[in-house]
Amino acid sequence: MIRKSLSALILAAMAPLASAQSVSMCVFDVIGANGDLYNMIKDYALEMKAHGVDLQLKPYTDEGVAIGDFNAGQCDAVAATDIRVRPYNQFTGSIGAVGALPTYDDLKTLLATLAQPKAAPLMKANGYEVLGILPVGAGYLFVNDRSIDTAGELAGKRIATLDYQEDAIHMVNFVKATVVPSDITNFAGKFNNGSVDTAYAPAFAYEALELYKGIGESGGIVDYPLAQVTVQMVARDDVLADEKAQKAREVAWGMFPQAMKLVAGQEAAIPDQKWVRIPAKDVEGYQEMFRQNRLEMRDGLNGAPSVYHPKMLGLLSKIRCASNPSASECTAANRE
């Protein structure tokens, strides 16, 4: 009798797995299968099993290869940075618009909004669907000279710039710095060996990519978020039913505290003296400069690429003005 009951329990436990839908996912983490991001997506996959989806993860250290394999049909889904997923969904791919989310509280509000069922139609575009968004941390400017702490001082400096990130190229040209074409596999090496003066990355890169070597004794990290970097899980639209896709986004949103705990730890691990603090009086000027550039990159003005989705920029503006209603942009005639 006892043996029969145990067998029933085991069969019951196995039933969801036996009927689970298998979905392969190419996962980018610059560290590979030992990276924090890859491990977080393993947790995401574990949660998804309870919802009938068995994610088969495949690690990649080269984001371009992960995207290429996804495009070639080697994987049903891909986990990559918002910059790379922008061609699949310009709306979610505009989350990382330059200077658009200055605080993590604003980011939390945004991701909570996007995880709601009423946002589901915006998660689909071009035959693809976003299955979840995880924060990686704000992107900061790493410099080899602490005196490079204003936009004006970037003029003439060499900046490692991802050669597929059109908005970053536009910003580098705007501040009259020099674009040094790079990709995610070599930008850190260029900064560390002095081939470039500056690079931008989330705080995790300080240790993981050894950017402290490029900072040296005279450099630092400018303490102002250039953009919020996220990793987004994207699948072809027919891979998951709508109900499961919505559940996947809710699972990712449920991991926000876990992801932000990781980000907070990475930022706290950087020695305080390595941060370059921006005077409060300069912050408003930076915010307006970034806003004007976002408008250009929304509308394709002044030679800017048209890369930002108007609806996302409008949503980000509402969130910023809800948290800081006295900001001058909130009454501007050309508000996003």
Side-chain angles (χ1 to χ4, degrees):
M1 183 68 178
I2 291 176
R3 181 178 296 174
K4 189 176 289 186
S5 299
L6 282 175
S7 299
L9 281 173
I10 292 170
L11 286 172
M14 291 177 63
L17 287 179
S19 59
Q21 177 184 357
S22 181
V23 174
S24 59
M25 178 180 283
C26 300
V27 179
F28 166 68
D29 185 316
V30 71
I31 307 300
N34 293 320
D36 290 332
L37 177 60
Y38 187 83
N39 280 310
M40 196 154 51
I41 294 179
K42 280 171 69 176
D43 291 344
Y44 170 79
L46 193 60
E47 288 287 328
M48 286 306 297
K49 277 191 177 181
H51 301 290
V53 178
D54 185 13
L55 288 172
Q56 302 294 318
L57 307 183
K58 184 178 178 183
Y60 289 77
T61 56
D62 187 322
E63 192 172 32
V65 176
I67 291 290
D69 278 5
F70 173 58
N71 289 338
Q74 298 297 311
C75 305
D76 302 315
V78 66
T81 57
D82 49 272
I83 303 163
R84 283 291 199 178
V85 307
R86 193 176 289 159
Y88 308 118
N89 189 312
Q90 189 188 28
F91 177 72
T92 63
S94 298
I95 289 174
V98 60
L101 281 174
T103 71
Y104 288 137
D105 283 343
D106 288 347
L107 177 65
K108 182 178 182 180
T109 301
L110 173 69
L111 297 188
T113 302
L114 299 185
Q116 295 176 14
K118 65 181 179 184
L122 294 166
M123 299 298 110
K124 291 189 179 189
N126 308 315
Y128 298 92
E129 183 163 17
V130 177
L131 301 181
I133 303 170
L134 292 171
V136 177
Y140 298 104
L141 192 66
F142 287 67
V143 297
N144 62 6
D145 180 347
R146 294 177 67 86
S147 68
I148 308 173
D149 60 353
T150 67
E153 282 152 356
L154 284 169
K157 302 299 182 186
R158 301 160 298 168
I159 301 182
T161 310
L162 301 181
D163 49 16
Y164 47 83
Q165 191 176 5
E166 296 176 285
D167 47 344
I169 292 172
H170 180 72
M171 279 302 306
V172 172
N173 289 328
F174 179 83
V175 299
K176 299 185 180 350
T178 300
V179 171
V180 178
S182 307
D183 62 41
I184 211 157
T185 65
N186 63 24
F187 83 92
K190 290 181 179 180
F191 181 65
N192 290 341
N193 67 23
S195 298
V196 298
D197 302 300
T198 73
Y200 48 89
F204 84 87
Y206 181 81
E207 281 290 341
L209 301 181
E210 302 180 330
L211 292 189
Y212 55 83
K213 292 181 177 177
I215 290 174
E217 294 299 318
S218 58
I221 305 164
V222 180
D223 185 22
Y224 186 83
L226 296 176
Q228 294 293 343
V229 182
T230 61
V231 160
Q232 302 184 14
M233 285 72 81
V234 177
R236 275 172 277 279
D237 191 14
D238 58 356
V239 168
L240 289 185
D242 288 351
E243 185 180 338
K244 286 186 178 178
Q246 176 57 32
K247 188 55 68 178
R249 290 188 287 272
E250 291 171 4
V251 167
W253 163 238
M255 296 177 66
F256 182 84
Q258 176 184 347
M260 289 312 301
K261 184 178 180 181
L262 189 62
V263 170
Q266 291 162 343
E267 295 189 351
I270 295 175
D272 190 60
Q273 67 270 23
K274 295 297 182 185
W275 291 100
V276 180
R277 308 297 178 187
I278 299 294
K281 64 181 176 56
D282 293 340
V283 169
E284 189 171 345
Y286 279 113
Q287 290 173 339
E288 182 59 19
M289 179 185 76
F290 287 138
R291 192 178 78 86
Q292 292 298 333
N293 271 273
R294 289 195 300 272
L295 291 172
E296 289 184 356
M297 289 188 276
R298 179 192 68 187
D299 301 331
L301 301 174
N302 299 326
S306 181
V307 294
Y308 293 152
H309 196 290
K311 197 174 187 68
M312 175 56 78
L313 291 194
L315 176 58
L316 297 175
S317 172
K318 287 178 182 174
I319 291 172
R320 288 195 305 276
C321 286
S323 62
N324 182 20
S326 63
S328 58
E329 68 158 312
C330 302
T331 55
N334 61 346
R335 184 178 168 183
E336 290 160 89

